[in-house]
Amino acid sequence: MLLHLLLLLCLSSSLKVQASVHEYRSERFVSKGNAFVFHGGSEGIYSSSPSDNFTSDSDSVSFIRFEKIKFQRPEEVSNRSSLSIHAVVFEVEDRENIGGSAYGGQRAVCCTSDLAKLGVCSHGDVIYRPSAKDSGWPQVFGVSLAENEFSVILPTRSIQVTRTGMYNLYFIHCDSDLKDLVVEGKTIWKNPTGYLPGRMAPLMYFYGFMSLAFVLLGIFWFSQCARFWREVLPLQNCLTLVITLGMCEMALWYFDYAEFNETGIRPTVITIWAVTFGSIKRTSARIIILMVSMGYGVVRPTLGGFTSKVIMLGVTFFIASEILELMENVGAVSDLSGKARLFFVLPVAILDAFFIIWIFKSLSATFKKLQTRRLLVKLDIYRKFTNALAVAILVSLGWICYELYFKSKDVYNEHWQNAWIIPAFWQLLSFSLLIVICSLWAPSQNSTRYAFSGSSGDTSAEFEKDDYTLTLIKPSPIPSHEVKNLSETRLLPADEGEPEKDLEEDKRE
């Protein structure tokens, strides 16, 4: 684990640090229809009040600022002047105002000869129409390269945002000789409250709230552990680890977003630590739930032969979860989910399904053992634990369906102001399940009522043999007149004392 963290820190120094400061480093244009396009960013921006004396230094002003944007072309095509290279900024509701077609034909971004004959636009320009809500939008401006000029710099410019929406920036040109054109520089996007993208802004306050919630849970749990330290079980120490990891994760996420909001540059090292603590917490929580379901510390002292399998599953889940979170959070710039995320979601979903199947299969075996031995106190706790898990899984399935519906209906991120609820929900659900588990297994003076007790005949080997293996024994013929005598001889003193021990356990409750 230490080697893994050191590797992440080394990689962080070479990662491309991006945030609301969108940096372009020799980025190339892509051919789209009859145009060459480069996506400069997409973010949700809240409106600010219009100001006649607008300056980008104002704290409460929303804007998009272009700084040192340079376009550079190869030397072999520099012997003539070029068509204009445009910067196009538009709100997502005005997307249909970009591009057009002549006589109802194929839609094009660049002005075609047919449209030029109609006088709609000039050949080589980007086609656009003013917005119905604000005639000043979309914002389209640009520069061109003169003869024998290798590069040109777009003049520094700030655009004030006075209407809340999802804004998109594209650099577009219509010159086929500039197919190898590259762009360098940066744009700065700011909301009234800071540099956090609009979709992420509510998460800073959410993680602050979750940090406080984990602190309160930690105070309760640690005070109980200190009060009944003689009664603390290994399972309760595992829960202490999960609570501690949760406190660290929430605090790191809050500081990550706070630093991001203040400077406009996402602190890569803090993001990696937050992702890593979160992956360790999720892995530990799943392993603990699996161990509880298998009866660890309750009806068996160890996991026996399943230890290596549980560890292998946990390590695999940690690696898959870590890669997914790193891809989603480190280097994230725009308020858009990358398509690559879908590829990394699948392994995590499969491993989660494997955890769920194993957990409920183990719970079924543990229930049978507890019912057979009439351990009523433990059976009651496991029944509540199973109900909580079932409710959590049903709610998760329902929310997954809603999430798929939400994303399928929000192709252009028009509902970006509510998108933060999706990641927040999963944090709230896992925290709620943690509270339920902590309430069931909280340290108390009666903690031994659900602890493993070798004196009551609960041996790990016997548990494994009874519930996880099937032994076929060929019976020998028994005369009918000996059946009665044989049944009587099997009633041993140890069997007669078993009900009394179970009754003693009930009395301890």
Side-chain angles (χ1 to χ4, degrees):
M1 181 60 65
L2 180 60
L3 179 62
H4 172 74
L5 294 177
L6 290 175
L7 179 62
L8 287 177
L9 288 177
C10 292
L11 288 174
S12 67
S13 61
S14 60
L15 286 172
K16 183 179 179 182
V17 180
Q18 295 179 320
S20 279
V21 178
H22 295 245
E23 296 186 15
Y24 317 118
R25 303 178 182 180
S26 299
E27 309 285 353
R28 293 185 175 274
F29 286 71
V30 178
S31 176
K32 297 288 186 181
N34 67 340
F36 294 87
V37 179
F38 171 70
H39 182 221
S42 297
E43 285 191 16
I45 301 181
Y46 292 93
S47 65
S48 59
S49 301
S51 174
D52 295 333
N53 299 320
F54 163 67
T55 61
S56 58
D57 296 329
S58 303
D59 293 333
S60 59
V61 174
S62 301
F63 61 82
I64 302 173
R65 185 167 69 236
F66 296 77
E67 288 190 356
K68 300 178 182 178
I69 302 294
K70 182 173 73 172
F71 302 102
Q72 186 170 349
R73 63 178 174 177
E75 183 178 354
E76 55 269 20
V77 294
S78 62
N79 56 355
R80 69 173 186 84
S81 59
S82 71
L83 297 176
S84 294
I85 306 165
H86 301 89
V88 182
V89 185
F90 63 94
E91 205 275 326
V92 68
E93 291 184 359
D94 300 329
R95 60 186 178 274
E96 297 297 330
N97 293 343
I98 307 297
S101 61
Y103 311 111
Q106 185 178 3
R107 192 175 184 83
V109 174
C110 291
C111 185
T112 63
S113 56
D114 291 335
L115 287 171
K117 291 177 182 178
L118 294 174
V120 177
C121 55
S122 300
H123 181 67
D125 286 346
V126 173
I127 306 170
Y128 71 95
R129 299 185 305 277
S131 169
K133 294 184 177 181
D134 188 341
S135 59
W137 288 85
Q139 297 268 345
V140 181
F141 53 94
V143 292
S144 59
L145 289 156
E147 185 177 351
N148 296 324
E149 190 175 25
F150 299 137
S151 62
V152 64
I153 296 178
L154 189 71
T156 300
R157 181 169 183 167
S158 295
I159 301 175
Q160 186 180 11
V161 177
T162 57
R163 178 161 59 110
T164 299
M166 172 65 69
Y167 286 85
N168 299 271
L169 165 64
Y170 286 90
F171 295 104
I172 304 174
H173 71 80
C174 307
D175 194 337
S176 58
D177 290 336
L178 298 180
K179 61 181 179 180
D180 294 322
L181 186 75
V182 296
V183 56
E184 298 179 354
K186 65 181 179 180
T187 54
I188 300 175
W189 307 52
K190 184 180 177 298
N191 272 287
T193 56
Y195 291 96
L196 269 177
R199 189 178 65 171
M200 299 182 186
L203 288 173
M204 181 179 69
Y205 303 102
F206 171 76
Y207 283 119
F209 167 78
M210 288 302 298
S211 298
L212 178 60
F214 263 98
V215 167
L216 295 176
L217 177 61
I219 291 174
F220 163 75
W221 184 262
F222 296 146
S223 63
Q224 289 294 104
C225 289
R227 183 181 177 187
F228 304 104
W229 63 274
R230 295 181 182 274
E231 307 291 334
V232 173
L233 306 173
L235 176 61
Q236 293 164 338
N237 289 329
C238 294
L239 291 174
T240 301
L241 173 64
V242 173
I243 294 173
T244 304
L245 289 171
M247 293 171 65
C248 295
E249 181 196 8
M250 295 300 109
L252 285 169
W253 277 124
Y254 175 77
F255 287 122
D256 175 67
Y257 282 108
E259 181 71 13
F260 190 175
N261 189 59
E262 183 68 25
T263 64
I265 302 294
R266 192 161 193 175
T268 306
V269 174
I270 298 180
T271 305
I272 291 176
W273 276 107
V275 165
T276 303
F277 269 96
S279 298
I280 296 174
K281 187 199 75 174
R282 284 188 293 275
T283 304
S284 301
R286 282 159 175 78
I287 291 177
I288 290 172
I289 291 175
L290 179 57
M291 290 167 57
V292 171
S293 302
M294 297 173 72
Y296 171 72
V298 180
V299 293
R300 60 195 304 167
T302 66
L303 296 181
F306 296 101
T307 303
S308 59
K309 296 179 182 179
V310 172
I311 293 175
M312 183 173 64
L313 179 61
V315 170
T316 306
F317 180 84
F318 168 76
I319 294 173
S321 177
E322 181 79 354
I323 293 174
L324 172 62
E325 294 299 321
L326 287 174
M327 286 293 299
E328 189 172 28
N329 292 284
V330 178
V333 185
S334 302
D335 271 343
L336 297 172
S337 298
K339 293 181 180 179
R341 182 180 184 274
L342 298 175
F343 176 78
F344 294 102
V345 165
L346 187 59
V348 176
I350 293 174
L351 291 170
D352 255 333
F354 195 85
F355 262 114
I356 292 172
I357 294 172
W358 197 356
I359 285 169
F360 278 95
K361 184 178 179 181
S362 300
L363 277 173
S364 177
T366 304
F367 260 102
K368 291 179 181 178
K369 179 61 64 176
L370 294 173
Q371 289 173 344
T372 301
R373 297 179 179 177
R374 290 177 293 177
L375 303 177
L376 302 181
V377 176
K378 298 177 183 178
L379 187 63
D380 181 61
I381 293 176
Y382 266 84
R383 185 176 289 109
K384 294 177 181 177
F385 174 67
T386 304
N387 292 338
L389 279 181
V391 169
I393 290 174
L394 290 175
V395 172
S396 298
L397 291 175
W399 188 259
I400 289 173
C401 294
Y402 169 76
E403 187 173 342
L404 292 174
Y405 171 80
F406 179 86
K407 291 183 177 180
S408 65
K409 294 295 184 181
D410 192 31
V411 179
Y412 299 103
N413 290 273
E414 295 178 85
H415 302 292
W416 56 273
Q417 296 182 66
N418 300 323
W420 68 275
I421 299 175
I422 292 176
F425 171 82
W426 294 113
Q427 293 287 357
L428 285 174
L429 181 63
S430 61
F431 182 72
S432 301
L433 185 58
L434 179 61
I435 290 178
V436 172
I437 295 174
C438 288
S439 63
L440 291 176
W441 272 276
S444 66
Q445 60 184 0
N446 296 322
S447 292
T448 55
R449 73 177 185 266
Y450 45 75
F452 169 77
S453 176
S455 61
S456 59
D458 300 333
T459 64
S460 177
E462 181 183 337
F463 185 88
E464 290 183 21
K465 184 177 72 174
D466 290 346
D467 293 325
Y468 290 93
T469 62
L470 294 175
T471 304
L472 298 179
I473 302 175
K474 183 178 181 180
S476 58
I478 300 176
S480 59
H481 65 276
E482 294 183 5
V483 173
K484 182 177 180 180
N485 294 334
L486 182 60
S487 61
E488 291 175 354
T489 58
R490 286 183 177 175
L491 186 58
L492 301 177
D495 296 327
E496 295 175 354
E498 185 70 19
E500 295 180 3
K501 293 174 183 177
D502 291 335
L503 291 175
E504 289 177 2
E505 183 189 37
D506 294 341
K507 291 178 181 178
R508 285 198 300 269
E509 186 181 7

